[in-house]
C-alpha cells in the first residue's frame, strides 16, 4: 500500500533550469494538492485539483504549473527555477472535499543555486 | 478567508511534563474541519486528529487530548506525560466545505521534549 509517492526526494537545480516534481497516489482520491514548506513556516498551497482534468491555483502559484491527466498523477512543473523556490515540496491527496485528513507524500527537498 | 494562528513558535519541556499547544482559527463558513498534524524530525507529515465544527465534544486518546471551543475559535492539543519521541513540529489546519476542501495551515509549533 504505497499511498502518496513523490519523486525525487532531493534535487539541486541551477537558476533558470526546469524540472518536474512527480506525485502519484494509489488510493483513487479525487482531491490532490501541492504545498511548499519554507524553513520555520507552515505549508502554503501552490495548486490543487478536484479531479482529472481540473486544476486551480492556490495561495502561491507563481512560477509553477500543474496538470492532472489521470486520477493517480499530479505533477508539478517549475519552468525557470529561482532561488526563492528553494523549499520542501509536499504532495497530498484526500478522498473527499474537506472532512477527511490529507495523506501526504514524504516530500521533495529542492535547492536552487 | 480562513486563517490559522499558532502563537507558540517553540516550546521546550522536560520529559513527563504536560504540554498544551494552542490553535486559534478564523472562518466564515458554518461547516468546517480542524486537524492536527505532527511532523517529526524525519520530515513526514502524520495526521493526529480531526474535529468537525458541529461536534464540540472533547476527546482523550491515550496521552493526547483535544479541547475544541467554538466560542473562542480555539482547538488546543494537550500531550500528557510528554516523551522524547513527542519532539516534533505540530501543525493545526482548517478546511472548509465551501472552499473545495483546501486546507490552511498554521506556521507550526516546535515542541522539544528533553530527557
Amino acid at each position: 500500500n504505497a499511498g502518496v509517492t513523490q519523486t525525487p526526494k532531493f534535487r539541486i537545480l541551477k537558476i533558470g533550469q526546469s524540472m518536474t516534481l512527480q506525485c502519484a497516489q494509489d488510493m483513487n482520491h479525487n482531491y490532490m494538492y501541492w504545498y511548499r514548506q519554507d524553513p520555520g513556516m507552515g505549508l502554503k498551497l501552490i495548486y490543487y485539483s478536484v479531479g482529472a482534468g481540473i486544476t486551480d491555483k492556490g495561495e502561491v502559484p507563481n512560477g509553477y504549473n500543474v496538470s492532472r491527466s489521470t486520477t493517480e498523477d499530479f505533477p508539478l512543473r517549475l519552468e525557470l527555477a529561482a532561488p526563492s523556490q528553494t523549499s520542501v515540496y509536499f504532495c497530498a491527496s484526500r478522498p473527499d472535499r474537506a472532512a477527511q485528513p490529507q495523506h501526504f507524500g514524504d516530500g521533495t527537498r529542492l535547492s536552487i543555486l | 478567508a480562513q486563517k490559522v494562528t499558532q502563537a507558540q513558535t517553540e516550546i521546550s519541556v522536560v520529559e513527563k511534563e504536560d504540554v498544551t499547544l494552542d490553535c486559534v482559527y478564523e472562518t466564515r463558513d458554518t461547516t468546517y474541519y480542524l486537524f492536527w498534524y505532527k511532523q517529526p524530525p524525519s520530515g513526514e507529515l502524520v495526521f493526529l486528529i480531526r474535529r468537525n465544527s458541529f461536534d464540540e465534544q472533547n476527546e482523550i486518546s491515550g496521552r493526547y487530548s483535544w479541547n475544541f471551543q467554538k466560542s473562542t475559535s480555539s482547538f488546543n492539543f494537550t500531550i500528557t506525560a510528554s516523551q522524547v519521541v513527542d519532539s516534533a513540529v505540530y501543525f493545526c489546519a482548517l478546511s472548509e466545505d465551501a472552499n473545495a476542501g483546501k486546507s490552511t495551515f498554521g506556521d507550526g509549533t516546535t515542541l522539544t521534549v528533553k530527557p
Side-chain angles (χ1 to χ4, degrees), chain B residues 2 18 21 40 44 50:
Chain B
Q2 50 187 359
D18 298 347
L21 308 181
E44 73 273 20
R50 176 194 74 178

Side-chain angles (χ1 to χ4, degrees), chain A residues 48-109:
Chain A
Y48 68 99
S49 170
V50 301
I54 306 171
T55 63
D56 206 348
K57 296 178 180 179
E59 187 181 356
V60 289
N62 292 342
Y64 307 94
N65 275 300
V66 294
S67 60
R68 185 90 183 273
S69 57
T70 66
T71 299
E72 294 77 20
D73 299 303
F74 190 39
L76 176 72
R77 177 85 177 161
L78 282 72
E79 290 294 347
L80 292 171
S84 61
Q85 294 177 303
T86 294
S87 190
V88 180
Y89 292 83
F90 287 97
C91 179
S93 71
R94 64 155 41 114
D96 72 7
R97 290 203 305 176
Q100 299 300 319
Q102 296 181 40
H103 299 252
F104 285 88
D106 289 338
T108 295
R109 187 174 297 272

